[in-house]
């Protein structure tokens, strides 16, 4: 899939909310720990804090309004075509979903097959979807964590790149558990970006092999 490269990897981040994972990636790039360049931060929410973070770091930010696409039978695909145009115009190599609260369609998934990642706050395949910290506590799990995976059409189903585990404590609330998981998210997402930038991720079916690991 990706090969060794001379120029920095061109990354776009799609985010809908507070953007702490975006921040972790910005910080890793600025610290030289991830050899990449963020060429676009895109949101479907006008007031997403992620866009503000991008502006603070002088990164191009863009709000793509979903409203004009709503109600059309092909609205979700049409929205993704608009995103794809931006990604292609910016020569984006890798797309990162970071708290992007919109299901991506085949339009983006196919154009960026094995070149689009997502971070999810559970140890997939346990607890895909929403409210996953609450579900893990309710289930009585002793461990939870986070997963970086490539994006396929099934929500939270793509090949797993990296996972990190954390304990679930007896007195945990969804909020305390989410905070413990988030610390790990901020470590493994930049790490996955760097592995991709180094051309070390090899996908075979459901398996992602890390060359030289
Ligand atoms: C994170 O918990 C991530 O795993 C999930 O959405 C949350 C986004 O947080 N997909 P942030 O916007 O990166 O702070």
């Amino acid at each position: 899939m990706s090969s060794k490269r001379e120029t920095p990897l061109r990354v776009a981040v799609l985010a809908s909310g507070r953007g702490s994972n975006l921040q972790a990636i910005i910080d890793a790039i600025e610290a030289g720990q991830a050899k990449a360049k963020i060429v676009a931060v895109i949101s479907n929410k006008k007031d997403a804090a992620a866009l503000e973070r991008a502006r603070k770091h002088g990164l191009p930010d863009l709000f793509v309004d979903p409203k004009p696409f709503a109600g059309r039978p092909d609205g979700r695909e049409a929205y993704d075509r608009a995103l794809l145009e931006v990604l292609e115009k910016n020569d984006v190599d890798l797309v990162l979903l970071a708290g992007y609260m919109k299901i991506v369609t085949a339009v983006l998934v196919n154009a960026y097959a094995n070149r689009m990642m997502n971070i999810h706050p559970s140890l997939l395949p346990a607890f895909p979807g929403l409210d996953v910290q609450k579900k893990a506590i309710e289930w009585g799990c002793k461990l939870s964590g986070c997963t970086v995976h490539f994006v396929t059409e099934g929500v939270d189903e793509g090949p797993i790149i990296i996972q990190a585990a954390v304990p679930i404590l007896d007195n945990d609330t969804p909020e305390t558990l989410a905070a413990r998981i988030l610390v790990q998210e901020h470590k493994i997402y930049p790490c996955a970006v760097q592995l991709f930038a180094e051309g070390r991720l090899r996908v075979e079916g459901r398996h992602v092999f890390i060359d030289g690991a």
Side-chain angles (χ1 to χ4, degrees):
M1 34 168 306
S2 65
S3 54
K4 299 244 164 14
R5 49 189 305 125
E6 299 305 322
T7 54
L9 182 77
R10 295 175 68 80
V11 172
V13 180
L14 271 54
S16 305
R18 84 193 142 175
S20 72
N21 277 288
L22 164 69
Q23 189 67 53
I25 290 157
I26 293 172
D27 293 346
I29 291 172
E30 289 184 353
Q33 289 155 0
K35 301 273 182 292
K37 181 179 155 103
I38 297 178
V39 296
V41 175
I42 304 172
S43 186
N44 59 327
K45 299 277 180 199
K46 195 172 187 188
D47 56 358
L51 292 178
E52 184 53 35
R53 289 183 196 263
R55 287 192 285 272
K56 263 198 197 131
H57 288 264
L59 301 172
D61 68 288
L62 182 68
F63 162 57
V64 181
D65 192 352
K67 263 197 227 109
F69 303 91
R72 283 169 52 172
D74 70 334
R76 285 172 45 204
E77 285 77 13
Y79 185 82
D80 280 359
R81 272 194 290 277
L83 292 190
L84 186 56
E85 211 174 285
V86 176
L87 299 174
E88 287 178 342
K89 214 188 288 163
N90 284 285
D91 276 333
V92 169
D93 301 307
L94 176 67
V95 178
L96 302 176
L97 309 185
Y100 181 61
M101 301 304 286
K102 209 169 185 308
I103 291 172
V104 292
T105 68
V107 171
L108 277 187
V109 169
N110 293 339
Y112 278 89
N114 295 338
R115 298 192 300 144
M116 177 158 49
M117 296 178 182
N118 180 43
I119 185 143
H120 181 77
S122 79
L123 292 175
L124 290 171
F127 308 116
L130 298 174
D131 296 327
V132 296
Q133 297 91 346
K134 182 166 178 276
K135 287 175 188 161
I137 291 171
E138 283 173 357
W139 197 257
C141 297
K142 302 296 184 194
L143 284 176
S144 184
C146 47
T147 303
V148 178
H149 63 92
F150 283 115
V151 177
T152 55
E153 274 194 75
V155 174
D156 301 325
E157 280 182 5
I160 291 168
I161 303 167
I162 312 182
Q163 294 184 303
V166 303
I168 297 181
L169 308 179
D170 288 345
N171 58 356
D172 261 333
T173 62
E175 291 73 28
T176 58
L177 177 58
R180 191 174 308 120
I181 293 172
L182 199 61
V183 172
Q184 299 305 317
E185 294 186 34
H186 296 165
K187 291 181 184 167
I188 66 172
Y189 216 179
C191 179
V193 172
Q194 175 59 8
L195 288 170
F196 187 97
E198 290 172 351
R200 290 173 59 194
L201 299 179
R202 192 162 37 86
V203 185
E204 287 179 24
R206 280 219 57 85
H207 297 259
V208 179
F209 296 96
I210 301 178
D211 288 337

